[in-house]
Amino acid sequence: MSIYAISDLHLANSDNCKALIELSHFDDDWLILAGDIGETEEHLRFALSVLTQKFKKIVWTPGNHDLWTYRFNKSMLKGENKYQRLVSICHKYGVTTPEDEYPVYSDKELLYIVIPILTLYDYSFRPDFVKEGTEVEWASESGVICADEDLLIPEPYSSIKDWCRARCSYTEQRLASIDKSIPKIMINHYPLLKELGKIYTYPRFSIWCGTTLTEKWLDLFNVKIAVYGHLHIRSSKIVNGIKHEEVSFGYPNQWDHSKDMQYYLRKIV
Ligand SMILES: [Fe+2]
Ligand SMILES: [Fe+2]
């Protein structure tokens, strides 16, 4: 029994949908989905209807795209309400979300608690010389602006930063109540360390890539493997003895169409 991971399926793209349908079966294995399945409830339903037929267990956390709201679509939920709707869709498919009891993976001598989290970002992945509150202005000076600024509506919170803080506080309380001696696999759409939130071609995009509030959790809660996406730059790095896996599939121009989706599944355990 293995655990695989992938993120950023971006199913608004028909080539990505086709690759998903053609994915092989892994009937004994778990799959981690680390966000950005798509933008709509239909994208999530489609992904889960396919993947729950192919894997034994699915563990999900949303990405920024999953939480977007198109303002022209009056029926589309916003912010926390949209998140809760996505959680309820996951529950219909028996999929584990950041709101559920954390599943335990146990195989031979291996034991992990698998922890999906939603923590968003608070612009704290900014360089030290950028003053708090001026991050978006600073990034846009270089022509970089994340579509979240228009499409990620943080209701009922007054800002994404406040939503992020609330999520971190909720997550930290839950983590504090778990047995620290058991190793953890932590799943977030975002990297858990500031140093991993850098995109060298668009360095100022880092402000939309996580929060420094998660950094201390790695040691504090005995995290051995951190799984994330969002950057669309696949990597596997070890930092201070902890493995950090960026598992993005990405937009159609970011994967090799002569390979199938299976090639991009990362074996985590
Ligand atoms: Fe993405
Ligand atoms: Fe993302």
Side-chain angles (χ1 to χ4, degrees):
M1 179 167 99
S2 302
I3 303 180
Y4 291 91
I6 199 162
S7 73
D8 300 83
L9 297 180
H10 289 290
L11 296 179
N13 301 285
S14 56
D15 284 356
N16 290 23
C17 289
K18 188 167 172 282
L20 180 75
I21 291 166
E22 289 170 355
L23 182 65
S24 309
H25 283 250
F26 295 79
D27 295 335
D28 293 328
D29 302 322
W30 292 22
L31 180 68
I32 287 167
L33 283 174
D36 280 6
I37 299 294
E39 287 80 23
T40 65
E41 294 173 27
E42 288 67 34
H43 290 146
L44 182 63
R45 281 195 198 94
F46 172 70
L48 299 184
S49 66
V50 172
L51 290 169
T52 50
Q53 301 300 310
K54 295 177 188 281
F55 288 86
K56 186 177 180 181
K57 183 172 186 63
I58 310 264
V59 181
W60 167 91
T61 191
N64 50 319
H65 280 244
D66 302 296
L67 298 171
W68 278 3
T69 306
Y70 295 129
R71 291 172 198 272
F72 62 82
N73 184 343
K74 297 290 174 220
S75 66
M76 224 168 164
L77 295 172
K78 299 184 180 93
E80 185 69 26
N81 283 339
K82 181 159 188 205
Y83 171 57
Q84 293 300 339
R85 174 68 64 84
L86 299 180
V87 167
S88 72
I89 291 169
C90 285
H91 288 165
K92 286 202 178 94
Y93 286 93
V95 167
T96 302
T97 77
E99 305 310 302
D100 302 318
E101 193 178 328
Y102 301 129
V104 175
Y105 171 89
S106 165
D107 190 32
K108 299 183 185 102
E109 76 281 12
L110 289 174
L111 183 67
Y112 289 104
I113 300 179
V114 179
I115 301 183
I117 64 171
L118 164 62
T119 55
L120 299 163
Y121 52 82
D122 59 2
Y123 309 107
S124 56
F125 281 8
R126 63 178 178 274
D128 295 339
F129 63 83
V130 176
K131 258 178 63 186
E132 189 174 358
T134 67
E135 303 92 347
V136 175
E137 192 187 333
W138 169 75
S140 55
E141 277 168 13
S142 72
V144 173
I145 187 92
C146 180
D148 287 5
E149 293 300 321
D150 184 40
L151 299 172
L152 186 57
I153 301 170
E155 280 185 15
Y157 301 94
S158 59
S159 64
I160 296 168
K161 187 172 167 177
D162 283 355
W163 193 6
C164 165
R165 298 278 160 92
R167 288 300 313 180
C168 287
S169 153
Y170 164 81
T171 305
E172 196 163 288
Q173 275 178 36
R174 290 196 61 194
L175 293 171
S177 66
I178 307 171
D179 186 341
K180 288 191 176 52
S181 70
I182 302 174
K184 316 286 187 310
I185 298 172
M186 194 168 276
I187 304 146
N188 196 6
H189 184 55
Y190 302 94
L192 299 178
L193 287 175
K194 184 175 175 177
E195 66 179 274
L196 297 175
K198 288 182 186 139
I199 300 174
Y200 289 98
T201 43
Y202 300 100
R204 297 191 186 194
F205 194 81
S206 63
I207 63 167
W208 290 284
C209 292
T211 168
T212 52
L213 292 171
T214 58
E215 292 193 321
K216 64 178 187 297
W217 296 352
L218 294 167
D219 283 338
L220 202 57
F221 302 119
N222 193 15
V223 176
K224 297 294 184 206
I225 303 169
V227 178
Y228 64 103
H230 186 60
L231 305 184
H232 293 210
I233 303 170
R234 291 178 285 274
S235 69
S236 183
K237 293 176 180 161
I238 294 176
V239 182
N240 297 327
I242 298 163
K243 202 167 210 190
H244 296 262
E245 304 271 15
E246 207 286 6
V247 297
S248 291
F249 185 57
Y251 298 122
N253 63 345
Q254 294 173 321
W255 57 277
D256 179 348
H257 291 231
S258 71
K259 298 185 167 68
D260 52 19
M261 189 179 277
Q262 193 167 326
Y263 176 83
Y264 294 97
L265 281 185
R266 186 80 47 83
K267 195 170 184 173
I268 300 298
V269 176

